[in-house]
Amino acid sequence: MSVFDDESVDIGPTGQSKLESFLFSCELSSKVPFYTFQGDEEEDLEHFLELRTICLGEGAKEESNVVEVSAMNHQGKTIAVPIACLHIKCLPMVSLGEFELKAPVTIRLNAGTGPVIVSGLHLIASPAEDSDLSENEEEEEEEEEEMPAIKPAKKKQKQ
C-alpha cells in the first residue's frame, strides 16, 4: 500500500499535504545504462518515485538483465540495491507493487544490454494551502446543513 493513498495526507504537526501524481517511464539499454530521477529544487515540495513495473522491451536478447536502484537510506547514505533480474525466456516482466523512493534516485542497468522499460509514478507532495482547507470544511458544513432531519415512522394503531 502506498504512503500517499489520498489526495491529502498528514505530514506531521504542520497539517495536511496535497499530493499530485504523474506517469513515469524510462528505458535503459547498453546505449543509455542509467537514469537519474530528481525533483525540482523548490523548498516546499517533496518528490517521490513509486516504481510499479520493470519489463524487457522489444528486441531484448536471450541474456540476464539486472536492474538496480541507488537512493539514500535512513542515515543519509547512498546505497545500491538490485531490484530485478529479467530474462526473455523465464521472467520478462516483474511487478514491484508500490515501491516508493524519495528523490534523488538512480536506476541502472547493471548487467545485460536491454532494452528494459521501468514504469511507475512521480509523486509530488506539497503543503496544502489554508484557503483550500477552509473551503473544504465550509463545503462539508453546508452539505451537513442541507440534509433533512430523519423522522421516525409513525406506527399504525390497531382498531
Side-chain angles (χ1 to χ4, degrees), residues 119-150:
S119 62
L121 295 174
H122 174 186
L123 304 172
I124 302 172
S126 60
E129 296 176 13
D130 292 336
S131 60
D132 289 346
L133 291 175
S134 61
E135 287 176 17
N136 289 340
E137 289 171 1
E138 288 174 11
E139 288 175 12
E140 288 175 10
E141 288 175 8
E142 288 175 11
E143 287 175 11
E144 289 174 9
E145 292 172 6
E146 291 175 9
M147 294 189 66
I150 299 173

Side-chain angles (χ1 to χ4, degrees), residues 15 17-18 22 24 29 31 34 42 47-48 51 53-54 57 62 73-74 79 90 101 105 118 126 135 141 145 158:
S17 173
K18 181 180 176 189
F22 301 94
F24 168 82
S29 66
K31 293 179 185 175
F34 70 95
E42 292 186 36
H47 294 265
F48 297 88
L51 299 176
T53 59
I54 302 174
E62 195 172 317
N73 66 9
H74 68 286
I79 60 169
C90 62
L101 299 163
V105 177
V118 180
S126 60
E135 287 176 17
E141 288 175 8
E145 292 172 6
K158 290 186 182 179

Side-chain angles (χ1 to χ4, degrees), residues 16-35:
Q16 298 286 314
S17 173
K18 181 180 176 189
L19 181 70
E20 294 180 284
S21 62
F22 301 94
L23 190 60
F24 168 82
S25 179
C26 70
E27 184 173 311
L28 307 174
S29 66
S30 56
K31 293 179 185 175
V32 182
F34 70 95
Y35 176 83

Side-chain angles (χ1 to χ4, degrees), residues 15-101:
Q16 298 286 314
S17 173
K18 181 180 176 189
L19 181 70
E20 294 180 284
S21 62
F22 301 94
L23 190 60
F24 168 82
S25 179
C26 70
E27 184 173 311
L28 307 174
S29 66
S30 56
K31 293 179 185 175
V32 182
F34 70 95
Y35 176 83
T36 300
F37 169 80
Q38 294 182 355
D40 295 333
E41 300 274 330
E42 292 186 36
E43 292 177 21
D44 292 345
L45 301 178
E46 286 190 289
H47 294 265
F48 297 88
L49 182 59
E50 183 178 290
L51 299 176
R52 295 279 181 102
T53 59
I54 302 174
C55 64
L56 292 173
E58 188 176 333
K61 297 177 183 174
E62 195 172 317
E63 64 184 357
S64 292
N65 289 274
V66 178
V67 178
E68 74 175 20
V69 294
S70 297
M72 282 197 213
N73 66 9
H74 68 286
Q75 297 172 332
K77 296 179 182 177
T78 301
I79 60 169
V81 178
I83 57 171
C85 182
L86 306 174
H87 196 282
I88 196 72
K89 285 197 170 186
C90 62
L91 189 62
M93 179 178 154
V94 66
S95 177
L96 298 172
E98 298 172 353
F99 184 63
E100 290 180 12
L101 299 163

